[in-house]
């Protein structure tokens, strides 16, 4: 997507340094909702995987926790934050989640009733690709949240609590400054 010509060589170099196998997938529609970037990866993924928002800073322990989960082959598990007073959350932009007994009942930026926040990390399966496409076809919503809404309807979306671990969605200079201050204090 955006800046691919500059980003790809850098990412490939870092992957080589780390000894990590890499398969870059280009999304021509990167200016459209984020679900289309996920769907673009469907050509390269046919097994369960982690989906992480690239503009979210998160404690590596969250990633470890998500990797160690054992979902069914079709379900998606979303890392959620129950701290509704988390000072790092931008209430104007956060994706809200209503869950009951570990199952997601509703998800979206503007839902009025919620009891936790979407942290931007998912343990998921290729069923998410299908759900995003189904959402796009049935409602015109080709976002990840649209796909998650479809999975919710099918009983294939649940949550796991990230506990007190840090996560922050870095969308603007204000949240960038908060993240930078946190990192400096933690160092």
């Amino acid at each position: 997507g955006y800046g691919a010509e500059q980003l790809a060589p850098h990412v490939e170099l870092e992957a080589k340094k780390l000894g990590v196998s890499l398969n870059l997938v280009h999304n021509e529609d990167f200016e459209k909702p984020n679900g289309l970037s996920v769907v673009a990866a469907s050509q390269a993924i046919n097994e369960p995987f982690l989906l992480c928002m690239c503009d979210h800073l998160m404690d590596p322990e969250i990633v470890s926790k998500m990797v160690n989960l054992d979902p069914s082959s079709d379900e998606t598990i979303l890392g959620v934050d129950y701290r509704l007073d988390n000072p790092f959350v931008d209430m104007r932009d956060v994706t809200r989640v209503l869950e009951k007994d570990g199952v997601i009942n509703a998800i979206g930026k503007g839902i009025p009733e919620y009891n936790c926040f979407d942290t931007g990390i998912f343990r998921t399966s290729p069923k998410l690709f299908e759900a995003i496409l189904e959402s796009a076809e049935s409602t015109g919503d080709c976002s990840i949240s649209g796909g998650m809404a479809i999975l919710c309807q099918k009983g294939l979306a649940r949550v796991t609590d990230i506990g007190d671990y840090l996560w922050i969605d870095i969308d603007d200079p204000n949240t960038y400054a908060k993240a930078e201050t946190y990192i400096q204090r933690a160092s």
Side-chain angles (χ1 to χ4, degrees):
Y2 178 79
E5 300 79 22
Q6 296 83 26
L7 187 60
H10 175 74
V11 171
E12 289 168 341
L13 180 63
E14 290 301 313
K16 187 175 180 180
K17 286 181 196 174
L18 294 169
V20 174
S21 162
L22 182 66
N23 182 1
L24 291 177
V25 178
H26 187 72
N27 174 17
E28 294 288 338
D29 292 324
F30 64 86
E31 290 184 12
K32 294 181 180 174
N34 61 5
L36 295 178
S37 291
V38 175
V39 171
S42 67
Q43 64 187 344
I45 300 173
N46 61 4
E47 60 188 348
F49 62 98
L50 285 184
L51 170 63
C52 304
M53 300 301 102
C54 65
D55 64 343
H56 287 205
L57 175 69
M58 64 188 70
D59 190 303
E61 289 300 319
I62 299 172
V63 176
S64 294
K65 179 177 185 161
M66 299 299 283
V67 166
N68 291 319
L69 293 174
D70 189 24
S72 77
S73 61
D74 292 343
E75 75 181 349
T76 293
I77 303 173
L78 171 61
V80 296
D81 184 356
Y82 288 95
R83 296 169 295 175
L84 299 182
D85 61 348
N86 183 338
F88 292 108
V89 170
D90 178 354
M91 291 302 295
R92 297 165 295 160
D93 184 58
V94 69
T95 299
R96 300 163 186 194
V97 178
L98 178 63
E99 72 79 24
K100 183 173 181 180
D101 299 324
V103 176
I104 299 174
N105 292 324
I107 185 169
K109 291 196 182 285
I111 62 172
E113 186 181 350
Y114 59 95
N115 55 5
C116 53
F117 300 124
D118 169 350
T119 64
I121 184 166
F122 306 75
R123 176 88 157 91
T124 190
S125 77
K127 284 289 184 189
L128 180 59
F129 305 138
E130 296 170 23
I132 292 168
L133 292 172
E134 184 178 333
S135 174
E137 186 176 307
S138 64
T139 68
D141 182 355
C142 51
S143 68
I144 295 169
S145 290
M148 287 297 293
I150 296 292
L151 293 176
C152 289
Q153 292 169 8
K154 297 178 179 188
L156 295 174
R158 63 185 178 98
V159 301
T160 190
D161 184 0
I162 65 150
D164 291 332
Y165 292 119
L166 170 81
W167 71 280
I168 183 170
D169 181 0
I170 303 173
D171 285 332
D172 56 34
N174 182 43
T175 51
Y176 181 85
K178 282 183 180 182
E180 202 168 56
T181 299
Y182 178 85
I183 290 170
Q184 288 171 354
R185 287 184 185 157
S187 298

